[in-house]
Amino acid sequence: MQTFEANDDGPLLAPIELTSRRFWIFAGALLTIGLWGAFAWWTQLRRGLSVTGLNAPVFWGLYITNFVFFIGISHAGTLISAILRLAHAEWRRSITRAAEVITVLVLFFGMGCVILDLGRPDRVLNVLRSGNFTSPLLWDVTSVACYLTASTIYLFLPLIPDIAILRDRMPSRRWLYRPLALGWTGTEKQVRRLDRAIAVMAVIVIPIAVSVHTVVSWVFAMTVQPMWHSTIFGPYFVVGAIFSGIGAIIIAMAIIRKAYHLEQYLKPIHFNNLGLLLLVMCLLWFYFTFAEFLTTYYGGEPMHMLVFLSKTEGKFSPLFWTMVVTCFVIPFVLLANRRTRTQIWGTVAASISVEIGMWLERFLIVVPSLSNPRIPLTAPSYVPSWVEWSLFAAFVSMFILLYAVFTKFFPIVSIWEIREGREHSVSEVTTRVLSYLPEAANE
Amino acid sequence: MKIARREFIGLVAGAAAGAALGAPGGRLFSDALLSANQPIYPPRGPEQFMLSVCTACPGGCGVRARRIGNRIVKVEGNPLHPVSGGRLCAKGQAAVQALYHPDRLRLPLRRTGPRGSLKSFRPATWDAAIAEIANRLQSVRDEQRPESVVLLRGGRSDTATRAARRFLQAFGSPNDIPFDRGNDAGAIALFLTQGLRAAPAPDIRGADYILSLGSDFLESSPAPVYTARAYGDFRQTHTARRGKLIYADPRLSITAASADEWIPIRPMTHATFALGVAAAIVEEGLYDREFVAERSIGFEDGPGGGLRSILLKQFSLERVAAESGITVNVILRIARELAGAHKALVLGPHNGPLLGGRVYDHVAAHVLNALIGNVDQAGGILIADDVAIEAWPADALDAVATAGHRQPRIDGVGPDSLLSGDAEQLARALTTRQPYAAEVLFILGADPLYATAAHDQFAAAMEKVPLVVDFASIPNDTSLYADWILPEPHFLETWNVQTSPASVAFASVSVASPALPKPLYDTRPAADVFLDLARRLGLQRAMPWQDSAALSRAEVDRLFEARRGAIIGTQFDAAWVRMMEGAGWWAPGYASADELWKRVSESGGWWDPFYDHGDWSRVIRTPSGRFDFRPDIVRQIADGAPAAADGGLSLLLFEPLPIAGATGAELPFLQALLDPGLDERWETWGEIHPETAAALHIRNGSWIRVASSRRAIVIRARVTDRVVTGAIAIPVGLGKAAGGRWAEGAGANPLHLLDGAREPLSSLPDFGSSRVLVSEATAPDQRPIKRS
Amino acid sequence: MARWGMVIDLDRCTACQACVVACQVENNIPVAGQSDSDRGRGISWIRLAPFNEGEHGTRPGLRLVPIPCMHCEKPPCTKVCPVKATSIGKEGIVAQVYARCIGCRYCTTACPYTVRRFNWKLPEWPDPMGEGLSPDVSVRPRGVVEKCSFCHHRLQNARDKAAIEGRALRDGDYMPACVESCPAEAMFFGDLDDPRSVVTRLEAGPRAFRLLEELGTKPKVIYLSKGESGADV
Ligand SMILES: Nc1nc2c(c(=O)[nH]1)N[C@H]1C(S)=C(S)[C@@H](COP(=O)(O)OP(=O)(O)OC[C@H]3O[C@@H](n4cnc5c(=O)[nH]c(N)nc54)[C@H](O)[C@@H]3O)O[C@H]1N2
Ligand SMILES: Nc1nc2c(c(=O)[nH]1)N[C@H]1C(S)=C(S)[C@@H](COP(=O)(O)OP(=O)(O)OC[C@H]3O[C@@H](n4cnc5c(=O)[nH]c(N)nc54)[C@H](O)[C@@H]3O)O[C@H]1N2
Ligand code: SF4
Ligand code: SF4
Ligand code: SF4
Ligand code: SF4
Ligand code: SF4
Ligand SMILES: [Mo]
């Protein structure tokens, strides 16, 4: 049996110990965009939502689109990682952390979008003071708050052993790592407890994650508006969320791999496996989209058809068909083809395409239904204003920046889990695989 | 996008303050930082209801203004008032916005620079204004040329207009020139057939079948509220009868939208269509034989044949169908329905206070009315029973005045003219100084620069008049060319006695007293100006009153002398008066002029609900004493070739109710309502049929250039099957050179496209015959936003 | 207790829009200029919605229908409000509490009649237009949603008056501004629970229908269809 030293995982600690000038430039650029966004928000606070492109009846636009999109991305981490953990997928070890961080950070930005969208952000606490539980928006607040709490715990638990490693290696940052390590020494009891806690959280987190995006969909589906009022919306949104979430993980992994030279940890096989998952979600997404549009078309209810036609052949059709291409055609071709899927660039390209497509999908859910009210009301086309685009850019930038900052304080690939994999998994998996075989003794 | 430096500094400062103070309190946050609350100062004080009469249009609705402290916060209908019935139209509702309009004139303005721009005017005092005008008038009088003073006046029937007219009379000028386009054609048709000078008062309430030949009466009636109330009762009264409305016109107007059937006839075929229906009625023998035999001439007889033979010979159903584009079956059906209806009514074309239609069409419509025997019948065409309240002493004219009145009218209108006033000819006369030069031009309640085709001539003509005095509350296009703009008060600030318009069949008189304790600005009622001028010129014998308050009282005293009617009151009161008067009694409910004044001030008015149907000597004043079917005119219609389609599109004009009569564009509440069907607001548009648009490669919502031989305007295209092919329909009322911040720069004025053609019969301006070329255009630069 | 409702007779209505302006003046609705109007930011609590009839090529028709808030018996808007800033009262009036509304505009998207409007910016009245504001109705701050209140303040006044006169509130005690103004006398208002009221009789008539009835919102604004005889009054 081989043994491994902490130093073997040097590349995982390098980003924390060394910070290049490139990183500072990168962070500075992101921060600048963030500040620009702050200015845009200031403008909106001063002048109200009149600085957006919204109008009657298109009361919701980019902010709500981004809300749904960001919350969707949040399914990346915790849900995927929990499923993979429960499934004992061994290849997960180097990717779960990167995924979980996405979840925790992006949730803040998702909720931030709702605050941006409020006419009276100064009154946001009214939601607590006089909350109305018949409102799906309040269900949202509740489920997102649960998901945020659970995901934070779920991110934190597997971090503890790594924090302990850092505590021991980096005396200059003891002030940070010591309290966070919660006195971890790696005793067998601690390990056993941690494993149990992680397993329990993995089980808890899955239904919460599913509920979050289901509830987000219900914000729309609970109304009687054309092409919102649909029973399929819950699962449809969850599928879309996981779809865009996996894409986000792939992109994040590719960047980390390149920036921090983690080629040994994030291998093509990881991309291939995630690519396969992405392909499954792509097909599921297509199935749901097809089901949704076919029932609308076949039913032919005039109000629904107005929205349907505005998407398929009306003024939203360029966006709609771009969505079909980027959500389905491109990823399907790239991922169904072994040659491109096994290439990292192949899965990354598919993921980028999926992100664009899924953002468009969210936009096309929010805006066309509102643009075609049941009682005729003409209005200018909704064109997002500079304030809305700036805030979108700023949110994306600040998300990336915070993600980068995280990698400067914590290992983005779980050190102890990799070690555990080396130390125990090979024999464990061998035993497990043997147990599937007919030769194995029945227990 | 622009980032104000101030805001950036604000951002930095705000962030610093936030950091220093911690989270600011909610109130501070929302008030100071977000500035999300409007600091407003609601009025305080007792609530009072002040009676007045709306003058936003000639409709004469009695209103009740709600006053809190010293502010008016709402205007509502006076429930006792017989014209408004407690209701108000959109314009009347917007009166508060007009009262507190930021661009109202606050002082007299004297022109000091070139004409045509408000920038050329400087504020002046009333003393200076009156002194200058009085001096000029005095010198004219000294030169014994009183006829060189001209009054151009709109269709109001208020104290101010009567004072102005009386002033002209006393001064000695015959040039009291009405500018009341909307009523002219209908009145001329009545004159030609019934021999009396009055506008028709169609009894919509009493009818059970209406054939509207392009009468957009729900938008363009001279008394919109009165007409709407009548229409409501016509449709659904508290009995089981429901009136039916057929609308024949090239455009599906708001009235057509309310109609049971829209018959999309080709442009310029109203008369042909009407006479086709008439021919069918005659052919099938469905006409009112008794009326035709006993009360008419020209049916069987006439030089070269009577109406019957002309109709049968020249208005074959096939010809009418070919020209109007309507199938024979439809024409025949309409004829049978019309003749079979109990109380049918035919309305001649009328598209607004400026667009009264063509005399030919009105004659044809009225011939049809007479054929079905509804002249002066309930549900037919009535003649308003007016009441004389001019309280002027007789025999008060001096020698100069008497001589002046012997001069011809400067606009060439004489006692035999069909026209009551000729604005285009006036412009020519002012320019050429023929038959004589004008020294002073008063303009009251009229905007000829906006509202005539002779825009350029008028502007040039005003250069030739040494003193032009315009009365306005907010300057209009014509004001910009005046020498003095005298600020008029809003109707809620003034005394007024208003008679109901001619389209209301009963006589009514409304009395307004100021609803505010004092006017907001240094304005004066036009009546006071003329009374003051009369005093300075030594004409008090003809105009002895101190001010408009005293004059109003004197006018009401005349009502007492009339010995009829009653104080307005409940429906029960009205029924009582009607019954008593029908039986030959008069029970006034007031014993003295003082009591009348007191009670009229408390209730808002007086009226005489009694209408004496079939008083033939009153309503038919032709030499024969009979209704004249005018076979001569019908023959002219038959012989007139259909308008030559010399390329281009027929220009169809209409006036949306909120901006009808070229007023309303100055109020944002009204600009927002131009056409609910197309969701049009704040701009001028042109309605084009999809086929016509396709042929011209014009897309819905794009900008188009509409060009006539005289001028071009750029407007928005609305591709819609609300209009027939080969035509473009454009609303009148926007495109103003003046009118305050909201009117200026919004839309375009299609009247300026008109080529100045006149109808041969009456020489009224022909607003229906113009043709225009339509092509794609680029957006006018003041309109950056593209609507889907 | 009264259950207030409105009846609009589409056969009488002339599409004159007096109701629109009456409501704007009565309820202190701010002035929207050309550019706000073009951006779809104008506010009105009642408007005329166009329904085009007839297909292209055949004879077209146009129906203009005045649309205030329907004061739905089962309002989809109140359910979704996260802070109870809009709710249905005992007398069936769907009210809006401006001081609590967070401006999320969920109610505006949930209302199938699209009658709710948002204050995109601070309401403006160029001087001296603010002088004409009514003291009865609060001026809405920026960032909140508003809509037709059935002229709730008139109800409050009527209730006070009835209390002073020592009697119960009854049908006919109050009339919203739009109803009062309507020149064609096409609008009626009253207590739908009072069997003798005009609105109850009209509601029971053969011409009565509700907009988007199939959605089950149970509007208390009832329309009378066009083109049939009016034996129902
Ligand atoms: N558009 C608009 N909407 C508003 C507001 C606004 O300014 N504009 N204001 C908001 C505000 S601040 C408020 S408080 C609400 C008010 O709205 P509501 O709460 O609906 O208040 P009221 O309209 O006064 O009706 C209360 C009911 O209680 C009944 N009542 C009176 N006394 C008693 C009693 O002793 N016992 C019982 N059981 N019933 C009684 C009354 O008859 C009446 O039917 O409206 C809100 N809605
Ligand atoms: N006759 C009669 N009178 C009544 C009643 C009745 O039933 N009958 N009802 C009574 C009742 S229940 C109430 S609550 C009162 C309501 O009367 P008020 O308390 O006067 O309430 P509002 O008129 O709704 O709002 C007051 C002001 O607050 C502003 N405002 C709103 N939000 C904010 C904010 O966040 N910051 C700041 N600075 N200002 C804000 C509004 O623009 C408005 O100018 O009326 C009472 N008056
Ligand atoms: S119809 Fe004329 S007079 Fe009557 S309210 Fe309207 S604008 Fe005023
Ligand atoms: S019409 Fe709309 S706003 Fe009014 S109660 Fe119904 S759902 Fe609510
Ligand atoms: S906008 Fe205001 S009233 Fe509407 S749902 Fe949000 S908080 Fe409630
Ligand atoms: S009921 Fe009152 S608030 Fe509602 S539309 Fe009519 S006037 Fe406006
Ligand atoms: S005021 Fe009356 S007639 Fe005019 S649009 Fe409104 S409901 Fe119709
Ligand atoms: Mo209250």
Side-chain angles (χ1 to χ4, degrees):
Chain A
M1 178 154 286
Q2 295 164 285
T3 54
F4 298 92
E5 289 302 306
N7 281 345
D8 292 333
D9 290 319
L12 298 182
L13 292 164
I16 300 170
E17 287 164 350
L18 300 165
T19 296
S20 67
R21 223 168 64 94
R22 277 226 328 261
F23 179 87
W24 286 113
I25 294 170
F26 179 64
L30 291 172
L31 192 65
T32 311
I33 299 175
L35 284 174
W36 175 254
F39 169 69
W41 194 41
W42 171 257
T43 308
Q44 180 175 301
L45 285 177
R46 293 287 303 168
R47 303 227 298 269
L49 288 168
S50 66
V51 299
T52 66
L54 297 166
N55 57 48
V58 190
F59 290 101
W60 284 349
L62 219 59
Y63 296 145
I64 296 297
T65 301
N66 291 341
F67 158 67
V68 182
F69 179 70
F70 283 136
I71 301 283
I73 297 280
S74 78
H75 281 57
T78 309
L79 182 63
I80 309 290
S81 123
I83 292 171
L84 294 179
R85 270 213 177 90
L86 291 178
H88 294 284
E90 277 306 323
W91 57 274
R92 71 161 198 279
R93 291 182 186 278
S94 48
I95 65 169
T96 48
R97 173 84 36 84
E100 288 154 12
V101 180
I102 293 180
T103 297
V104 173
L105 290 180
V106 89
L107 276 179
F108 284 103
F109 291 95
M111 286 321 268
C113 286
V114 176
I115 309 269
L116 290 184
D117 190 61
L118 292 184
R120 295 305 296 250
D122 52 318
R123 296 179 182 168
V124 64
L125 291 182
N126 283 4
V127 172
L128 306 181
R129 217 176 289 152
S130 39
N132 176 20
F133 267 92
T134 61
S135 171
L137 222 48
L138 222 75
W139 308 347
D140 246 350
V141 171
T142 314
S143 66
V144 171
C146 287
Y147 190 43
L148 184 59
T149 314
S151 318
T152 310
I153 297 171
Y154 186 69
L155 168 69
F156 178 66
L157 291 178
L159 256 178
I160 295 173
D162 284 0
I163 294 174
I165 295 172
L166 290 164
R167 175 194 61 196
D168 301 339
R169 274 178 69 101
M170 295 181 75
S172 63
R173 291 205 194 149
R174 281 181 83 104
W175 57 269
L176 173 67
Y177 295 131
R178 207 163 64 160
L180 288 177
L182 302 178
W184 178 270
T185 50
T187 65
E188 203 162 315
K189 200 170 136 203
Q190 280 179 333
V191 172
R192 214 173 47 241
R193 272 200 195 152
L194 183 71
D195 279 346
R196 263 256 287 298
I198 292 174
V200 168
M201 283 314 294
V203 172
I204 291 177
V205 108
I206 291 172
I208 297 181
V210 170
S211 85
V212 167
H213 228 66
T214 306
V215 169
V216 168
S217 86
W218 285 348
V219 168
F220 304 96
M222 291 296 159
T223 72
V224 291
Q225 303 301 18
M227 291 202 78
W228 281 5
H229 192 46
S230 157
T231 51
I232 211 177
F233 256 35
Y236 185 29
F237 269 50
V238 172
V239 163
I242 300 174
F243 189 30
S244 64
I246 295 171
I249 302 178
I250 292 175
I251 296 168
M253 274 165 44
I255 295 172
I256 294 162
R257 178 176 192 268
K258 193 102 180 128
Y260 295 146
H261 309 290
L262 299 181
E263 289 82 359
Q264 287 310 307
Y265 295 85
L266 302 169
K267 294 183 176 173
I269 180 70
H270 293 111
F271 288 88
N272 179 61
N273 286 357
L274 280 173
L276 278 171
L277 266 181
L278 195 63
L279 176 62
V280 170
M281 298 321 291
C282 176
L283 293 169
L284 270 175
W285 179 88
F286 181 79
Y287 165 74
F288 273 103
T289 307
F290 181 74
E292 175 74 359
F293 279 76
L294 181 69
T295 35
T296 304
Y297 177 73
Y298 197 95
E301 213 262 284
M303 289 302 158
H304 294 248
M305 282 310 285
L306 266 182
V307 181
F308 179 93
L309 293 175
S310 79
K311 294 191 197 189
T312 53
E313 56 176 68
K315 69 177 173 191
F316 296 105
S317 57
L319 297 182
F320 178 82
W321 293 110
T322 308
M323 172 193 84
V324 171
V325 169
T326 50
C327 270
F328 181 68
V329 180
I330 293 177
F332 181 77
V333 169
L334 286 173
L335 299 172
N337 188 331
R338 169 185 275 283
R339 272 215 317 271
T340 38
R341 189 183 64 239
T342 48
Q343 303 288 325
I344 292 178
W345 69 260
T347 50
V348 169
S351 300
I352 292 171
S353 170
V354 166
E355 295 311 314
I356 295 169
M358 282 309 296
W359 188 87
L360 287 173
E361 193 232 56
R362 282 24 178 139
F363 185 84
L364 288 169
I365 284 171
V366 175
V367 176
S369 283
L370 292 176
S371 303
N372 292 283
R374 288 173 192 269
I375 307 287
L377 174 63
T378 45
S381 302
Y382 167 63
V383 181
S385 72
W386 71 268
V387 172
E388 291 166 279
W389 287 122
S390 302
L391 281 162
F392 185 21
F395 271 30
V396 173
S397 307
M398 292 313 289
F399 165 71
I400 297 172
L401 181 62
L402 289 182
Y403 199 94
V405 168
F406 182 90
T407 64
K408 290 290 151 194
F409 285 91
F410 304 100
I412 195 64
V413 173
S414 177
I415 298 172
W416 72 273
E417 284 185 275
I418 294 283
R419 273 186 208 169
E420 188 189 54
R422 286 191 189 115
E423 286 161 8
H424 306 298
S425 297
V426 179
S427 56
E428 196 185 293
V429 171
T430 315
T431 323
R432 176 148 47 93
V433 172
L434 286 174
S435 77
Y436 303 151
L437 299 176
E439 298 80 33
N442 288 328
E443 268 160 49
Chain B
M1 180 214 52
K2 233 171 50 199
I3 312 146
R5 201 171 67 93
R6 255 202 359 219
E7 287 190 355
F8 190 74
I9 293 171
L11 164 69
V12 175
L21 297 171
R27 206 55 204 188
L28 187 72
F29 186 59
S30 47
D31 284 0
L33 191 66
L34 301 186
S35 51
N37 297 306
Q38 171 78 282
I40 54 144
Y41 312 98
R44 278 172 220 290
E47 176 186 53
Q48 282 169 280
F49 288 92
M50 316 298 293
L51 298 180
S52 182
V53 53
C54 176
T55 60
C57 89
C61 294
V63 306
R64 209 168 66 122
R66 180 167 179 236
R67 178 172 142 190
I68 308 279
N70 286 338
R71 295 190 198 164
I72 305 292
V73 299
K74 184 85 204 299
V75 174
E76 282 148 17
N78 175 355
L80 297 181
H81 199 274
V83 174
S84 72
R87 310 297 171 135
L88 285 188
C89 80
K91 232 176 217 176
Q93 284 290 349
V96 182
Q97 210 170 42
L99 173 67
Y100 293 114
H101 194 289
D103 299 322
R104 270 188 63 185
L105 291 174
R106 295 158 192 236
L107 284 169
L109 296 182
R110 177 70 173 98
R111 190 171 58 78
T112 56
R115 292 179 201 264
S117 162
L118 206 58
K119 291 198 188 78
S120 301
F121 288 84
R122 299 281 167 272
T125 62
W126 275 102
D127 286 346
I130 300 286
E132 186 186 331
I133 298 164
N135 281 344
R136 170 72 65 168
L137 289 170
Q138 187 62 58
S139 58
V140 166
R141 238 172 170 265
D142 292 346
E143 292 165 23
Q144 314 259 324
R145 295 201 301 123
E147 70 280 3
S148 65
V149 174
V150 179
L151 168 68
L152 187 68
R153 60 176 171 86
R156 306 196 309 210
S157 48
D158 55 355
T159 298
T161 305
R162 284 188 299 275
R165 298 182 66 188
R166 175 59 172 184
F167 176 80
L168 233 69
Q169 197 189 17
F171 189 82
S173 171
N175 290 313
D176 164 20
I177 302 177
F179 182 69
D180 185 15
R181 283 285 155 77
N183 289 322
D184 277 352
I188 292 171
L190 264 192
F191 178 71
L192 293 170
T193 53
Q194 289 182 224
L196 84 172
R197 293 197 182 269
D203 184 9
I204 289 169
R205 180 177 275 114
D208 61 4
Y209 187 94
I210 297 177
L211 171 60
S212 163
L213 292 162
S215 173
D216 188 5
F217 62 92
L218 293 180
E219 289 223 79
S220 71
S221 155
V225 168
Y226 179 75
T227 306
R229 289 175 59 216
Y231 171 81
D233 287 347
F234 156 81
R235 281 307 204 180
Q236 298 283 341
T237 54
H238 291 254
T239 70
R241 175 182 60 83
R242 173 182 185 269
K244 184 168 180 183
L245 171 61
I246 307 292
Y247 193 87
D249 193 65
R251 173 174 180 267
L252 188 143
S253 64
I254 292 288
T255 308
S258 290
D260 299 286
E261 183 176 351
W262 172 45
I263 301 180
I265 60 172
R266 297 218 177 97
M268 301 281 287
T269 60
H270 293 97
T272 309
F273 179 77
L275 294 170
V277 171
I281 288 177
V282 170
E283 191 167 328
E284 303 211 337
L286 300 173
Y287 57 94
D288 183 333
R289 286 163 199 277
E290 190 188 326
F291 179 84
V292 167
E294 290 174 15
R295 304 246 167 257
S296 80
I297 56 166
F299 185 72
E300 305 283 2
D301 50 324
L307 178 74
R308 176 205 285 278
S309 64
I310 300 170
L311 286 180
L312 296 183
K313 253 187 264 156
Q314 307 228 39
F315 290 93
S316 71
L317 289 182
E318 291 69 29
R319 175 192 163 178
V320 172
E323 279 182 27
S324 64
I326 302 304
T327 61
V328 169
N329 277 348
V330 171
I331 301 170
L332 215 63
R333 174 166 56 82
I334 299 296
R336 289 175 187 154
E337 283 180 10
L338 191 65
H342 193 51
K343 293 170 179 173
L345 175 62
V346 183
L347 300 172
H350 192 275
N351 278 310
L354 305 174
L355 307 167
R358 309 171 80 227
V359 176
Y360 283 128
D361 299 340
H362 281 275
V363 169
H366 206 37
V367 160
L368 203 42
N369 271 318
L371 269 184
I372 54 176
N374 73 356
V375 172
D376 213 45
Q377 299 297 308
I381 297 288
L382 310 183
I383 305 297
D385 180 17
D386 57 348
V387 55
I389 52 164
E390 274 92 347
W392 320 105
D395 73 321
L397 302 193
D398 60 16
V400 181
T402 313
H405 283 294
R406 282 198 211 101
Q407 295 292 326
R409 274 252 304 256
I410 194 166
D411 62 344
V413 168
D416 299 329
S417 302
L418 289 177
L419 296 182
S420 57
D422 189 339
E424 285 77 11
Q425 182 57 33
L426 171 65
R428 220 162 296 138
L430 296 178
T431 312
T432 59
R433 299 175 192 266
Q434 294 298 334
Y436 43 78
E439 292 296 326
V440 181
L441 171 63
F442 288 107
I443 299 168
L444 180 65
D447 188 0
L449 251 73
Y450 181 86
T452 59
H455 170 265
D456 300 335
Q457 289 108 294
F458 238 102
M462 288 169 79
E463 300 268 1
K464 296 284 182 2
V465 184
L467 184 63
V468 179
V469 180
D470 184 51
F471 296 87
S473 177
I474 295 171
N476 59 32
D477 289 19
T478 307
S479 310
L480 303 184
Y481 287 79
D483 296 287
W484 279 98
I485 314 175
L486 300 182
E488 279 196 291
H490 186 269
F491 69 76
L492 292 170
E493 299 170 313
T494 186
W495 288 95
N496 185 21
V497 175
Q498 176 111 3
T499 56
S500 50
S503 58
V504 176
F506 53 76
S508 86
V509 174
S510 313
V511 178
S513 53
L516 280 169
K518 66 183 176 60
L520 296 177
Y521 310 118
D522 193 4
T523 53
R524 280 188 200 175
D528 286 8
V529 173
F530 285 106
L531 288 170
D532 196 359
L533 288 173
R535 228 175 354 260
R536 289 178 192 235
L537 294 167
L539 303 172
Q540 302 94 312
R541 207 157 72 85
M543 301 180 75
W545 300 280
Q546 186 57 36
D547 54 18
S548 47
L551 176 51
S552 298
R553 167 70 207 250
E555 294 191 317
V556 170
D557 286 351
R558 288 275 284 141
L559 269 185
F560 183 70
E561 294 157 24
R563 309 216 146 258
R564 53 186 277 221
I567 307 292
I568 61 175
T570 59
Q571 279 191 359
F572 173 77
D573 299 340
W576 179 249
V577 175
R578 202 175 279 133
M579 206 176 78
M580 296 296 276
E581 283 197 37
W585 293 87
W586 179 60
Y590 45 86
S592 66
D594 283 337
E595 194 185 348
L596 170 61
W597 174 249
K598 182 168 165 287
R599 294 210 39 213
V600 129
S601 309
E602 287 164 359
S603 67
W606 169 101
W607 75 318
D608 188 348
F610 187 65
Y611 190 92
D612 192 7
H613 292 286
D615 181 356
W616 300 112
S617 61
R618 184 178 77 85
V619 299
I620 299 188
R621 305 243 188 97
T622 51
S624 61
R626 287 164 163 241
F627 183 92
D628 190 341
F629 276 112
R630 297 307 296 242
D632 53 327
I633 297 176
V634 174
R635 188 171 305 107
Q636 284 178 37
I637 296 171
D639 296 343
D646 55 345
L649 306 181
S650 273
L651 176 63
L652 308 174
L653 298 177
F654 62 99
E655 293 182 65
L657 177 62
I659 51 169
T663 62
E666 60 281 1
L667 302 179
F669 279 166
L670 299 180
Q671 283 262 22
L673 327 166
L674 299 185
D675 189 306
L678 297 168
D679 204 4
E680 273 295 359
R681 30 187 148 80
W682 290 97
E683 67 178 10
T684 301
W685 69 97
E687 297 169 12
I688 310 178
H689 191 274
E691 286 166 24
T692 309
L696 294 168
H697 307 290
I698 286 166
R699 278 168 302 115
N700 185 32
S702 63
W703 291 101
I704 49 172
R705 184 173 180 276
V706 181
S708 69
S709 52
R710 294 187 62 224
R711 202 184 282 262
I713 56 175
V714 173
I715 58 174
R716 178 90 69 188
R718 283 281 164 227
V719 176
T720 165
D721 45 14
R722 282 174 56 178
V723 64
V724 297
T725 54
I728 180 168
I730 306 180
V732 174
L734 298 190
K736 302 206 151 195
R741 63 192 68 185
W742 290 293
E744 289 162 32
N749 183 354
L751 290 173
H752 293 175
L753 292 171
L754 297 171
D755 53 14
R758 288 173 171 238
E759 208 189 7
L761 177 63
S762 62
S763 70
L764 262 183
D766 190 343
F767 285 166
S769 63
S770 293
R771 299 190 73 81
V772 288
L773 294 171
V774 178
S775 55
E776 268 192 287
T778 50
D781 38 68
Q782 79 271 18
R783 303 267 316 181
I785 293 144
K786 186 147 166 23
R787 297 212 283 135
S788 60
Chain C
M1 178 146 314
R3 197 167 58 91
W4 301 107
M6 187 187 286
V7 174
I8 302 178
D9 186 341
L10 298 178
D11 210 13
R12 295 186 77 112
C13 172
T14 68
C16 71
Q17 306 186 82
C19 45
V20 178
V21 182
C23 178
Q24 280 166 316
V25 179
E26 176 77 15
N27 288 298
N28 293 340
I29 292 176
V31 172
Q34 181 170 8
S35 69
D36 281 340
S37 216
D38 281 349
R39 289 184 169 87
R41 304 279 177 73
I43 295 179
S44 58
W45 290 4
I46 179 171
R47 71 185 176 97
L48 272 88
F51 292 86
N52 286 300
E53 292 173 351
E55 285 161 29
H56 173 57
T58 70
R59 198 158 293 173
L62 171 69
R63 288 275 171 270
L64 294 162
V65 180
I67 315 252
C69 168
M70 301 288 132
H71 293 274
C72 307
E73 206 81 314
K74 289 185 172 290
C77 57
T78 58
K79 278 196 286 196
V80 301
C81 175
V83 297
K84 300 180 190 142
T86 179
S87 57
I88 182 163
K90 289 196 195 87
E91 290 168 79
I93 295 182
V94 175
Q96 187 70 17
V97 185
Y98 313 121
R100 186 187 282 169
C101 172
I102 60 173
C104 65
R105 305 184 304 295
Y106 197 176
C107 52
T108 60
T109 59
C111 166
Y113 304 91
T114 327
V115 297
R116 293 173 160 267
R117 292 293 176 272
F118 182 69
N119 284 278
W120 302 100
K121 60 181 205 181
L122 195 63
E124 276 173 56
W125 286 270
D127 270 344
M129 259 189 190
E131 307 257 305
L133 292 179
S134 159
D136 299 351
V137 179
S138 67
V139 168
R140 278 73 67 188
R142 192 185 72 203
V144 304
V145 161
E146 60 185 73
K147 64 157 193 81
C148 158
S149 66
F150 261 1
C151 289
H152 185 266
H153 58 285
R154 289 194 175 206
L155 171 59
Q156 288 177 327
N157 284 335
R159 192 174 289 142
D160 294 351
K161 198 160 157 239
I164 289 168
E165 289 168 11
R167 60 175 174 84
L169 197 68
R170 58 173 177 246
D171 177 67
D173 269 355
Y174 103 96
M175 205 195 251
C178 52
V179 178
E180 184 177 30
S181 189
C182 176
E185 297 169 22
M187 304 173 101
F188 305 86
F189 192 84
D191 180 359
L192 289 170
D193 277 351
D194 179 346
R196 287 154 308 162
S197 73
V198 175
V199 285
T200 308
R201 270 185 294 143
L202 290 172
E203 183 197 22
R207 294 195 294 135
F209 72 98
R210 292 165 170 80
L211 278 182
L212 305 180
E213 222 154 340
E214 67 278 14
L215 297 180
T217 52
K218 295 195 161 63
K220 284 196 290 295
V221 174
I222 294 135
Y223 292 89
L224 303 183
S225 65
K226 205 174 171 60
E228 291 156 57
S229 198
D232 47 15
V233 181

